[in-house]
Amino acid sequence: MFGRKKQRDKPRGAVAQTVPRPFGASDLLIPARAAVMTRAERELYASLRESVPVIDAALGKIVRLVGSFHIISDSRCCQEEAERFVRGVRVNGSCEGLHSFICSYLDSLLTYGEAVGEMLPDVGGNGIAALYNANLNDVEIRANGSPLDLEVCCRKGGESRPVRYPQLVLVSLLNQKAGTARGTSLLSGLPFVSSVLLRIFTSLKHNWERAGDIRFAVTYKPDSGVFSEENAKLIADEWRKAMRSDSVCDFVSVGDVSVKVIGAESRMPDCEVPMRALLEQIVAKLGIPPFLLGLSWSTTEKMSEQQADILTSELEYYRAALEPVIRRVVRTHLLLSGCNERFEVKWDDINLQDAVELSSARLNNAQAERLEKETEAAYGR
């Protein structure tokens, strides 16, 4: 007789052998300042989005291009409950729908490399009542005794304490650094490049303030060689009157008076080449094709298709990072609602072009199959 096999809820791994010493919240592999993203770093990444419109536009397009999703289940009851929840759950007090929560979650994940959310269960026990995107300045992500377990702590009164119900908290790290409880922002590596770009913009502003708003130098050379202060003041007053007049006013003077534009001999520095070089670095880091950001760089149709394919792979990567969060939220709601059926997360097509290409490929295959059958029938006779 075979004994009954023991059931385990979740497989537990052994202690990590590559950790040189006990791995705890206050004993990280690297200094705490480097292991936890500081408030200054988050403010730096937020200021990058505010100062460089290309960066903000790229992140916004990534969030929108990831697309929407829906839940598929074999159980009709589970399907209807999941659709109702995905469509109407409250988010952050002013929004509705799980898609809105995921968009804010992904925006935080891309900007800071970390995202934290919370599920608020219904008081009556009817599933999840609302979802909340936490401010990263109010929480801290750290290891809980093992590099495999992440713990979310709430900052309050200068201290960080673990949340009371960790099973209701969602946490994700983008490109987690090895041996740390820290993610990597998509904007990492851009502060220096962006600072150079902003310095060029600032110098352009100052140069156009000086050269764009033309200033004149009026020089008076008396014929007799004797300088008269009264004549100089009279010429200055007449010139000021001519420049500030609302209508066209001529400037008339007696003597040798020369008028020159200040800075007319100097040229404006050409900034097109360095600006494009910096923008290329930013676009390469963000992974967005230039034509989606309004950059009219020379490109070919084949190159545009390759860039679209690369963007599709990037979006698939972000979908794979978000799908565990969606599964956990929907599974928690269904379990609290009394439904324990299996379900799947089905993503919509990324864009219409992919759907058109797939339809064209199916049409070509159907036509080829029909020709093969007609050929076989003709030779069979």
Side-chain angles (χ1 to χ4, degrees):
M1 297 294 293
F2 294 95
R4 180 173 296 180
K5 190 176 181 179
K6 295 183 179 179
Q7 296 181 355
R8 291 183 295 180
D9 297 336
K10 185 178 180 180
R12 299 181 60 86
V15 178
Q17 303 179 57
T18 54
V19 180
R21 58 182 182 271
F23 196 94
S26 60
D27 190 16
L28 299 173
L29 293 179
I30 57 179
R33 184 179 63 180
V36 181
M37 179 174 290
T38 61
R39 187 188 187 99
E41 289 180 278
R42 288 191 289 269
E43 291 179 354
L44 173 62
Y45 291 141
S47 65
L48 282 181
R49 297 190 60 170
E50 296 177 358
S51 304
V52 185
V54 173
I55 295 178
D56 185 67
L59 295 185
K61 282 181 171 55
I62 290 176
V63 172
R64 289 189 292 270
L65 289 174
V66 165
S68 58
F69 55 88
H70 53 277
I71 307 300
I72 298 178
S73 177
D74 296 334
S75 174
R76 182 178 178 181
C77 180
C78 178
Q79 177 80 27
E80 293 177 353
E81 179 63 25
E83 290 179 353
R84 186 194 63 80
F85 171 75
V86 171
R87 183 175 58 254
V89 63
R90 291 180 55 192
V91 177
N92 297 327
S94 61
C95 302
E96 289 186 356
L98 182 57
H99 182 262
S100 177
F101 171 79
I102 291 299
C103 288
S104 299
Y105 195 88
L106 177 59
D107 187 89
S108 175
L109 192 63
L110 295 176
T111 305
Y112 309 111
E114 303 172 355
V116 177
E118 185 176 359
M119 297 177 287
L120 306 178
D122 188 7
V123 179
N126 298 322
I128 301 298
L131 299 172
Y132 171 70
N133 294 102
N135 189 343
L136 294 180
N137 293 326
D138 300 333
V139 297
E140 179 183 348
I141 305 173
R142 59 191 185 186
N144 183 20
S146 170
L148 303 178
D149 297 330
L150 296 180
E151 183 181 49
V152 178
C153 300
C154 182
R155 294 192 179 103
K156 187 176 181 181
E159 298 181 355
S160 296
R161 298 181 179 180
V163 295
R164 188 173 182 180
Y165 304 104
Q167 65 274 15
L168 298 177
V169 177
L170 306 164
V171 59
S172 297
L173 301 178
L174 182 65
N175 298 328
Q176 183 177 356
K177 295 182 179 180
T180 67
R182 176 177 178 178
T184 304
S185 170
L186 187 62
L187 307 183
S188 63
L190 293 184
F192 173 75
V193 178
S194 300
S195 65
V196 178
L197 183 64
L198 292 175
R199 181 168 298 180
I200 294 178
F201 287 152
T202 304
S203 63
L204 273 177
K205 172 179 175 293
H206 293 329
N207 289 335
W208 276 101
E209 286 178 351
R210 296 188 181 99
D213 188 5
I214 299 176
R215 290 173 172 82
F216 300 91
V218 182
T219 305
Y220 168 59
K221 298 180 181 178
D223 296 336
S224 61
V226 179
F227 178 76
S228 175
E229 185 177 356
E230 294 180 358
N231 292 339
K233 289 183 178 180
L234 181 60
I235 292 174
D237 293 339
E238 292 297 327
W239 177 259
R240 191 178 299 110
K241 179 181 178 181
M243 295 302 296
R244 293 183 178 180
S245 178
D246 296 335
S247 59
V248 178
C249 182
D250 297 331
F251 170 69
V252 181
S253 64
V254 179
D256 187 4
V257 179
S258 62
V259 180
K260 294 182 180 180
V261 178
I262 298 177
E265 297 80 5
S266 61
R267 294 182 179 181
M268 293 285 290
D270 185 13
C271 60
E272 183 178 357
V273 175
M275 283 182 59
R276 173 162 178 172
L278 295 172
L279 288 175
E280 287 176 349
Q281 298 293 323
I282 294 176
V283 170
K285 176 64 175 177
L286 299 177
I288 292 292
F291 60 85
L292 289 180
L293 300 175
L295 301 175
S296 57
W297 295 342
S298 59
T299 182
T300 61
E301 183 179 357
K302 185 65 176 178
M303 186 181 298
S304 299
E305 294 178 358
Q306 293 176 351
Q307 291 175 349
D309 293 338
I310 295 174
L311 176 61
T312 302
S313 63
E314 292 286 337
L315 298 177
E316 292 290 346
Y317 172 77
Y318 296 131
R319 285 183 172 185
L322 293 174
E323 189 165 331
V325 178
I326 299 173
R327 288 180 176 275
R328 184 178 172 187
V329 172
V330 176
R331 183 183 299 110
T332 303
H333 173 74
L334 293 179
L335 290 176
L336 293 178
S337 301
C339 182
N340 193 20
E341 301 292 338
R342 298 182 58 183
F343 63 89
E344 295 181 357
V345 179
K346 179 66 176 179
W347 292 90
D348 297 338
D349 294 332
I350 292 178
N351 53 32
L352 183 60
Q353 183 179 0
D354 292 342
V356 172
E357 292 179 355
L358 292 175
S359 301
S360 178
R362 288 195 297 267
L363 177 60
N364 294 334
N365 292 334
Q367 291 177 349
E369 185 178 357
R370 186 188 64 181
L371 291 177
E372 290 178 358
K373 291 181 179 180
E374 291 178 354
T375 304
E376 292 178 358
Y379 281 105
R381 293 179 181 177

